[in-house]
Amino acid sequence: MKLLPNSDLYDTGYCALFVRGTSPEALLAGIAGDAYHPVQLDRMEAEMIKMAGEDLEDDDVPELDFDELCDSGMICDEGPLLRAGTHDGWCFAIESEGPYLAREEIIRAASRGTVALLALRVETGLTWISYAEDGEILSSFDPLLPHYDNGSRPDVLDSITGYRQAIERRGSMGAHDSALRKIQHALGCAVPQEADEPRLLAIRIPGGY
């Protein structure tokens, strides 16, 4: 079973945030604040909207309400487009390419009263994983250099998941995927990629980058 996120679905990179025990509405509203104007989009519709930018036309997305897209702020040339869903008690938000979800203030806020996991992969090859509990980032590291951790209590995540041993077994070539999958399975947020297929709640934050 392939898990979310992965490079087959997001070949130009991704940023994914997993939060236990919340809803897509609450997660996206907390991230967007006053810019929270959600619509329902599937992955391909979201990619079409991002690619076309302000040149998007009604015929490009015939199954969507074009006026609703305009009112939501979706149609713009830049800014993160986030989609969020749920699976097995966890909420996930996914962003193609951009690193907006990897901001420390977003991870801290999302984890208050619960736990949050962040996975980042950019097209240049950079990868990053962060883990937070109740507003505190305990781990924040490049899987290629797992012992150089910027979190406040790096050993907590490893004691829960054993991800460092998983990295040692796979080596540097598979460091990100082996660490991420080990962590996801141990935490219980191993979300199948099929959860990303239907229309999910989506927001755009114009000028957010």
Side-chain angles (χ1 to χ4, degrees):
M1 178 179 70
K2 286 192 174 183
L3 300 184
L4 188 72
N6 65 62
S7 295
D8 291 337
L9 297 183
Y10 296 95
D11 58 357
T12 58
Y14 57 74
C15 198
L17 180 65
F18 301 86
V19 184
R20 181 186 292 156
T22 191
S23 67
E25 293 84 357
L27 180 58
L28 292 181
I31 292 170
D34 292 340
Y36 181 65
H37 304 289
V39 296
Q40 296 277 341
L41 299 175
D42 66 27
R43 185 176 64 255
M44 298 309 296
E45 289 166 343
E47 290 302 312
M48 169 60 73
I49 289 168
K50 283 192 63 177
M51 181 175 64
E54 292 184 351
D55 294 327
L56 187 75
E57 298 181 356
D58 201 339
D59 292 343
D60 295 328
V61 284
E63 296 185 4
L64 297 177
D65 185 324
F66 196 76
D67 290 336
E68 183 183 34
L69 290 178
C70 293
D71 293 341
S72 71
M74 280 286 166
I75 304 176
C76 61
D77 283 335
E78 62 176 19
L81 197 165
L82 316 175
R83 297 170 60 246
T86 58
H87 178 78
D88 200 19
W90 284 75
C91 179
F92 63 88
I94 187 89
E95 170 192 11
S96 68
E97 298 180 15
Y100 188 79
L101 285 171
R103 296 185 178 197
E104 287 192 2
E105 61 268 27
I106 290 177
I107 302 167
R108 292 182 192 277
S111 72
R112 289 196 178 102
T114 184
V115 300
L117 175 70
L118 183 285
L120 169 70
R121 179 191 289 274
V122 298
E123 193 172 13
T124 59
L126 171 69
T127 60
W128 202 265
I129 293 173
S130 295
Y131 173 74
E133 295 181 358
D134 196 19
E136 181 181 4
I137 298 177
L138 305 186
S139 282
S140 187
F141 63 96
D142 180 343
L144 288 173
L145 301 165
H147 294 284
Y148 293 91
D149 193 310
N150 297 325
S152 61
R153 290 184 286 158
D155 291 340
V156 171
L157 182 62
D158 189 44
S159 67
I160 296 172
T161 66
Y163 75 86
R164 289 178 184 170
Q165 188 175 27
I167 291 174
E168 290 173 1
R169 285 198 301 266
R170 285 286 301 274
S172 60
M173 290 298 292
H176 177 73
D177 285 344
S178 57
L180 178 58
R181 300 320 180 197
K182 182 69 173 177
I183 292 168
Q184 285 183 282
H185 281 291
L187 294 179
C189 57
V191 176
Q193 71 173 25
E194 288 77 15
D196 188 46
E197 290 178 1
R199 283 185 175 157
L200 302 176
L201 203 67
I203 60 169
R204 192 80 186 262
I205 307 177
Y209 292 126

